Amino acid sequence: MKNVNVKCLICIIVFALTVVNQAESERAAPDLVSLAVVGELVIVGKLLAAEVIVGKLDDQTQVVYTDVIVEVVQVIRNTTEQEIKVGSTINFRPLGGQIGNRKGGIVGDAEFGKEEIGNLLLLSLIRPHRATAGGKMGFDTIFDVFGGEDGKHTIKIKDNVPMVHLFWMERRDAEIGLPLDWVLELMNTAITLASKSPVQNPKTPDDVPAEVKFKFRRLSSIEKSVRQAAWDGLSEARIIRIARAELARVKEELGL
């Protein structure tokens, strides 16, 4: 199988998931599938510091920013030129309260509060586009949160199990979480699927083969069913059982 250029692959996933999200989501927000394959650096990190100073400007862009520092606990995906090791620290700067892929549009704000210091976070990060006017020239170790709030999930420990609380899983009567191991399995399945999709340089969504669109639509549909179960009032334990069974079924369907 021919190797697929990383940038082309990102275009493929963006196109495919744009189609999926428009058709299946009431909110124009990236799901875990897109966060996994579009993020250039996807990690579980321990929040060490989050500093917000009104009027603090980036020397090069003259835009207000927030300094955020995390310790890398687990590396899920890394397509950057940097060696990111467990135990190392990285920093990123949410600029002006508007976080997201500058080419794909801004999706929500990623806010980091003092009360979160010490918490584990699931983060999908992307390097600033140096070609744009807002690109941060020379900051090779600084990243932005991809997808805003949807690229930042707090991981809480419940009954000794790390639980990822997603923004769409909150209800008035309960806060629903999914086990970190399930979230990572879904994200890694998406990464595997992306690596097995030989599509060359798509220019528009129409250029993406129907087979590739179907596979990602099927994978993303897992999250739709989980969200629906939460809105229907099912218990957390039952939702988790549904999520595990559905992911296993889809992986078998797709030969993964």
Side-chain angles (χ1 to χ4, degrees):
M1 180 179 294
K2 296 180 179 179
N3 290 329
V4 180
N5 181 279
V6 171
K7 291 184 179 179
C8 293
L9 183 58
I10 290 176
C11 291
I12 296 164
I13 306 308
V14 169
F15 284 142
L17 291 173
T18 296
V19 173
V20 173
N21 286 337
Q22 287 176 345
E24 298 184 345
S25 176
E26 295 180 358
R27 302 181 63 169
D31 53 22
L32 290 173
V33 172
S34 59
L35 292 177
V37 297
V38 181
E40 295 173 294
L41 178 61
V42 185
I43 66 168
V44 173
K46 181 179 180 180
L47 185 61
L48 300 181
E51 179 186 37
V52 182
I53 300 178
V54 177
K56 189 172 183 178
L57 299 178
D58 184 294
D59 292 336
Q60 297 188 33
T61 65
Q62 294 300 296
V63 176
V64 177
Y65 66 85
T66 300
D67 268 335
V68 182
I69 303 174
V70 300
E71 178 184 342
V72 179
V73 174
Q74 184 172 352
V75 178
I76 303 168
R77 172 180 168 85
N78 181 18
T79 62
T80 74
E81 68 279 1
Q82 298 182 63
E83 225 179 307
I84 306 292
K85 296 181 178 180
V86 171
S88 62
T89 60
I90 63 171
N91 68 312
F92 47 95
R93 287 182 171 177
L95 294 180
Q98 293 183 320
I99 316 305
N101 182 346
R102 292 183 175 85
K103 288 187 176 180
I106 303 301
V107 184
D109 296 343
E111 298 179 355
F112 295 84
K114 296 292 185 181
E115 68 279 0
E116 291 184 288
I117 302 299
N119 283 356
L120 290 181
L121 303 171
L122 175 63
L123 295 165
S124 186
L125 306 172
I126 188 168
R127 290 167 295 184
H129 296 288
R130 298 191 180 100
T132 66
K136 297 187 283 290
M137 300 295 291
F139 288 120
D140 291 335
T141 59
I142 292 180
F143 296 81
D144 285 342
V145 180
F146 171 73
E149 189 66 30
D150 313 310
K152 164 189 170 289
H153 300 295
T154 300
I155 299 173
K156 300 179 180 179
I157 308 300
K158 180 178 180 180
D159 298 329
N160 295 321
V161 178
M163 302 289 285
V164 179
H165 290 255
L166 310 181
F167 77 97
W168 61 71
M169 299 298 289
E170 295 175 0
R171 297 199 308 245
R172 291 182 181 179
D173 61 328
E175 186 178 45
I176 306 298
L178 294 169
L180 176 60
D181 71 284
W182 181 88
V183 172
L184 295 181
E185 184 179 1
L186 176 63
M187 298 180 86
N188 280 307
T189 300
I191 293 170
T192 300
L193 180 56
S195 69
K196 292 185 176 181
S197 300
V199 185
Q200 295 185 352
N201 201 23
K203 301 297 183 184
T204 70
D206 293 335
D207 294 335
V208 181
E211 180 184 2
V212 175
K213 291 180 182 178
F214 168 79
K215 288 180 179 179
F216 276 100
R217 186 177 294 114
R218 187 69 185 93
L219 192 58
S220 295
S221 70
I222 297 174
E223 292 186 66
K224 180 184 177 183
S225 65
V226 169
R227 289 198 298 271
Q228 187 60 54
W231 289 122
D232 288 343
L234 275 63
S235 67
E236 183 178 80
R238 189 173 176 188
I239 290 172
I240 292 172
R241 289 197 297 272
I242 291 173
R244 291 195 187 281
E246 184 68 9
L247 180 54
R249 184 183 307 112
V250 171
K251 288 175 67 175
E252 184 175 0
E253 287 179 12
L254 301 181
L256 298 174

